[in-house]
Amino acid sequence: MKKSFMVLWVCMIFSTLIHAKVLDVRYKVSFGIFGQMGIANAHMETKGNTYTIDIGMKATGMAKALSQNRKERHISKGHIVKGMFVSDTYRVVKTYGNKHIEKIYHIDHKKKRVKKDYVKKKKGKITGEEHTVLDFYSKNDLLTLYFNLPKMIKDKSKSGIYKLRAVGAERQKGLVKIKIPASKEIEVYKRTLGKGDYWYMTAIIYQKIFSSNKGELMLAVGKDGITQKAVLKDLIMFGDLVSERIK
């Protein structure tokens, strides 16, 4: 429970509104018979050729109790080149109970390498610490990847699988796959995510989310470039995991 539904929020909040100086979006997450499980707030701000993306997430209701008041915050900072976000630092902070885990990725674009600093604390005292260099490099982290995605995939109507890499997904050496459905598959997306002027796709992040080993998320992206709804389908016994935009 603690390591699962939080992944959904990070992988479905993205936008193409890079010319906006400030953007705020809110989502709710619900899970079958359990109802609402959490809230996520996404904030994006640009100043000149720099940007900050800040996503805060917290569990609510039953999930809050089961996850020991789980909270996460993902912060990406960097610069903008030819309309694309280029990540310089990506920070992930997780807290639950009396535990605090923090990861900071420093991306060196000149040397094309990524340094990761990891600190784990319990009751304010450091219980673990690591400093490593990742075995892959990318200009994108998990947040900028999804903000940049509509510009990276030029033909949104062409079906296929796109293999991309993002800092923060080192368990799979940065690999993230995006599937654009064929025309014969669109009706399935419409029934699951709703009909509208959407860009439908599936994001495959290769992390176990509940009983879904690959973490395949069906997404409906609005004309404004913001995800309206995301669904992880047919989990054993419990139904669908659903995230919907509410602001």
Side-chain angles (χ1 to χ4, degrees):
M1 181 72 72
K2 293 188 291 187
K3 296 182 180 179
S4 49
F5 67 89
M6 292 290 181
V7 178
L8 175 64
W9 291 329
V10 178
C11 297
M12 58 77 64
I13 300 172
F14 60 93
S15 169
T16 58
L17 299 179
I18 64 173
H19 299 295
K21 292 190 175 181
V22 178
L23 172 68
D24 289 289
V25 185
R26 174 175 288 188
Y27 294 84
K28 69 174 181 178
V29 174
S30 57
F31 185 22
I33 61 175
F34 295 112
Q36 184 171 318
M37 297 182 68
I39 290 290
N41 291 290
H43 174 82
M44 187 274 286
E45 186 172 341
T46 61
K47 291 183 179 180
N49 67 340
T50 65
Y51 77 87
T52 298
I53 305 170
D54 189 338
I55 298 179
M57 298 157 279
K58 63 180 181 180
T60 60
M62 181 183 295
K64 182 177 180 179
L66 293 174
S67 66
Q68 300 180 64
N69 193 23
R70 175 85 170 195
K71 294 180 182 178
E72 282 194 25
R73 192 175 177 192
H74 294 246
I75 304 167
S76 173
K77 293 185 178 182
H79 56 286
I80 302 170
V81 178
K82 296 181 180 180
M84 303 281 283
F85 290 116
V86 179
S87 178
D88 293 321
T89 63
Y90 176 49
R91 181 176 172 224
V92 181
V93 181
K94 303 178 183 180
T95 61
Y96 56 95
N98 56 23
K99 295 181 180 179
H100 176 102
I101 298 173
E102 187 166 347
K103 294 182 287 187
I104 303 178
Y105 302 86
H106 304 273
I107 305 173
D108 187 332
H109 299 290
K110 289 184 178 180
K111 295 182 179 180
K112 293 188 176 181
R113 71 173 192 173
V114 182
K115 180 183 176 183
K116 175 185 175 182
D117 297 324
Y118 171 90
V119 177
K120 185 177 181 180
K121 297 179 181 179
K122 186 174 182 179
K123 297 181 179 180
K125 295 183 179 181
I126 295 176
T127 58
E129 191 171 2
E130 293 180 2
H131 305 281
T132 58
V133 175
L134 302 187
D135 57 1
F136 71 93
Y137 159 81
S138 176
K139 293 181 179 180
N140 282 302
D141 57 43
L142 280 173
L143 299 188
T144 63
L145 175 65
Y146 291 96
F147 273 77
N148 289 331
L149 193 59
K151 287 185 174 291
M152 296 170 70
I153 300 177
K154 302 297 183 180
D155 188 350
K156 299 177 178 59
S157 62
K158 184 178 180 180
S159 63
I161 301 289
Y162 297 81
K163 295 181 180 181
L164 307 168
R165 293 196 182 277
V167 171
E170 64 268 21
R171 288 184 179 179
Q172 56 269 28
K173 296 186 182 296
L175 179 64
V176 177
K177 288 185 180 179
I178 302 296
K179 175 187 175 182
I180 307 301
S183 56
K184 61 182 180 181
E185 300 175 291
I186 292 296
E187 283 303 317
V188 175
Y189 283 77
K190 288 181 178 180
R191 289 196 299 270
T192 303
L193 300 167
K195 295 181 179 180
D197 192 4
Y198 297 137
W199 179 27
Y200 296 105
M201 72 180 75
T202 294
I204 306 170
I205 58 172
Y206 290 96
Q207 292 193 45
K208 188 171 183 178
I209 304 180
F210 289 95
S211 55
S212 173
N213 288 319
K214 289 195 294 185
E216 297 189 17
L217 310 174
M218 299 177 71
L219 305 167
V221 184
K223 290 185 67 176
D224 58 2
I226 302 176
T227 298
Q228 301 298 310
K229 189 173 182 179
V231 174
L232 187 66
K233 283 292 294 177
D234 299 327
L235 302 184
I236 297 173
M237 295 177 63
F238 303 117
D240 299 343
L241 183 63
V242 180
S243 184
E244 296 181 86
R245 182 183 178 187
I246 55 176
K247 176 183 175 183

